[in-house]
Amino acid sequence: MNDENLPRIMSMDFGLKRIGIALSDPLKKFAFPYITIPNDARLFENLKKIIEEKNVEKIILGIPDESPGSEKSVYNNILEFKKNLMHHFNIEIILWNETHTSKIAERRIIQTVKSRKKRQDKGLIDMHSAAIILSEFLDSIN
């Protein structure tokens, strides 16, 4: 059997404008930044395509470590998004603490991306944050 056909794990860094996505390798050892997609009317259509093409068996959804009542929090938006994911896809969804992943992603990008213009791309941070979320999850199961 070709490794490419093995199921993968996908992680998401949810944002009101964009969603960063990372994927595991087929053996579920490593996480790779994959893509950033707009959080718009075509969101679930775009997610369906990725889930089917990459044979995703599980989604790790980053959620901040803060109280659901705080005003600036996207906490409730993420819980609502999880409900919508469950409605659209018959797939396991795990909430994972994403505290500090954006800061770690920013440092990683500064170290690895030479072009200052490319480093300004917010989508780059979103998909690298998703990769950090997924790396932490994979480390916890391996």
Side-chain angles (χ1 to χ4, degrees):
M1 181 175 178
N2 183 348
D3 278 355
E4 282 302 309
N5 297 334
L6 291 173
R8 295 172 187 256
I9 300 173
M10 178 169 86
S11 66
M12 293 188 212
D13 180 39
F14 177 87
L16 297 175
K17 294 180 184 173
R18 294 173 308 276
I19 296 178
I21 294 177
L23 292 167
S24 72
D25 66 303
L27 300 177
K28 300 180 189 88
K29 301 285 181 199
F30 304 102
F32 302 97
Y34 181 63
I35 194 171
T36 299
I37 58 176
N39 186 350
D40 62 12
R42 297 188 57 211
L43 174 62
F44 290 99
E45 182 185 325
N46 290 330
L47 288 174
K48 182 178 194 277
K49 194 183 300 181
I50 296 167
I51 289 168
E52 288 174 355
E53 282 177 8
K54 299 300 181 181
N55 195 14
V56 173
E57 68 174 1
K58 185 181 299 185
I59 295 172
I60 311 305
L61 180 59
I63 192 161
D65 184 22
E66 52 188 292
S67 65
S70 92
E71 290 242 19
K72 293 185 179 173
S73 173
V74 293
Y75 193 97
N76 290 329
N77 299 86
I78 292 170
L79 295 179
E80 188 64 30
F81 179 60
K82 180 185 180 204
K83 258 191 252 175
N84 288 331
L85 282 172
M86 291 167 63
H87 175 76
H88 281 84
F89 308 108
N90 183 21
I91 195 165
E92 182 181 5
I93 301 164
I94 297 172
L95 293 175
W96 193 262
N97 185 330
E98 67 168 20
T99 306
H100 308 301
T101 57
S102 292
K103 292 285 180 220
I104 296 166
E106 284 175 26
R107 280 200 300 265
R108 190 178 284 180
I109 289 165
I110 287 169
Q111 292 170 349
T112 59
V113 178
K114 299 297 176 221
S115 162
R116 174 170 269 154
K117 186 170 175 24
K118 280 188 181 172
R119 285 192 299 228
Q120 303 300 316
D121 178 4
K122 298 271 190 241
L124 200 58
I125 292 172
D126 297 333
M127 68 177 154
H128 277 270
S129 292
I132 293 164
I133 292 164
L134 184 53
S135 277
E136 290 176 355
F137 174 79
L138 294 172
D139 288 348
S140 79
I141 63 169
N142 288 325

